[in-house]
Amino acid sequence: MPDNSQSSTLPSNPAPEEAEAAMAANASDEMARLQGELAELKAKSADLADQFLRAKAEAENARRRAEDDVSKARKFGIESFAESLLPVCDSLDAALAIQNATAQQLREGSDATLRQLQAALERNKVQAINPAAGDKFDPHQHQAISVVPAEQEANTVVAVLQKGYVIAERVLRPALVTVAAAK
């Protein structure tokens, strides 16, 4: 009996045509896989480019909207302040329209108009700086016009010549004061 085990363990040598066909089939499969991968990457690249352009356009729109908001805030930011001053103007117009006003009427009208003005300033966060005599001199809120000899402690306010004003903790105008000199 012939030994067949030997023939099954020997490697079979394919014919050169078969090997070439197998290599061509492998190359064709590899080419198809690479082309599929390339198409997938091109689609992903196009999608990312589209997302980038949309994000860039959205950022540009947000920048433009912010610029418009800032422009409108600058243009109309004083609107509420101006509206609160209109009653003051109306009161002054009414006072000037009275032909034969007495001194008492003028005084009462001036007091009422001043109260309206002060209320308008308070509504808009404008507050007076009016230190009392004896208060410590604060160079951030007061401007010393002169230093005078006084019976009070040195570097304290003796008199206020003109009120100052602050808005939101920022000095619009310092109070003009005289200050006590050192003894």
Side-chain angles (χ1 to χ4, degrees):
M1 206 163 84
D3 190 8
N4 287 341
S5 65
Q6 212 178 34
S7 65
S8 63
T9 59
L10 290 174
S12 62
N13 286 335
E17 295 84 25
E18 289 177 1
E20 200 172 294
M23 285 176 54
N26 282 345
S28 176
D29 288 348
E30 183 66 17
M31 182 64 85
R33 185 187 67 76
L34 289 174
Q35 285 178 341
E37 194 175 310
L38 177 63
E40 184 181 314
L41 290 173
K42 281 184 178 180
K44 190 181 272 187
S45 174
D47 183 48
L48 289 173
D50 182 57
Q51 288 178 16
F52 170 75
L53 290 176
R54 289 177 188 272
K56 185 177 177 184
E58 181 61 31
E60 182 63 26
N61 288 340
R63 185 191 61 76
R64 231 181 275 124
R65 279 192 302 271
E67 282 179 357
D68 288 346
D69 289 348
V70 168
S71 173
K72 286 178 184 175
R74 284 186 184 135
K75 190 173 184 181
F76 300 113
I78 196 158
E79 183 176 11
S80 68
F81 184 67
E83 284 177 356
S84 66
L85 290 180
L86 293 178
V88 176
C89 290
D90 295 339
S91 293
L92 290 173
D93 286 340
L96 293 173
I98 299 173
Q99 294 298 321
N100 298 321
T102 65
Q104 179 64 26
Q105 289 172 322
L106 290 175
R107 178 66 186 193
E108 289 172 4
S110 296
D111 287 341
T113 303
L114 179 60
R115 283 192 303 275
Q116 283 180 321
L117 179 59
Q118 288 170 336
L121 290 172
E122 284 177 21
R123 273 193 306 276
N124 289 281
K125 311 290 187 264
V126 177
Q127 299 191 347
I129 301 172
N130 192 16
D135 285 354
K136 181 121 178 87
F137 175 73
D138 180 357
H140 300 292
Q141 293 191 341
H142 310 143
Q143 181 176 347
I145 297 301
S146 63
V147 178
V148 295
E151 292 300 319
Q152 60 194 48
E153 188 178 329
N155 289 329
T156 58
V157 174
V158 173
V160 177
L161 304 172
Q162 184 180 60
K163 290 182 196 177
Y165 291 91
V166 294
I167 184 167
E169 299 178 18
R170 184 175 183 178
V171 176
L172 293 174
R173 179 180 79 189
L176 300 180
V177 298
T178 56
V179 178
K183 295 179 184 178

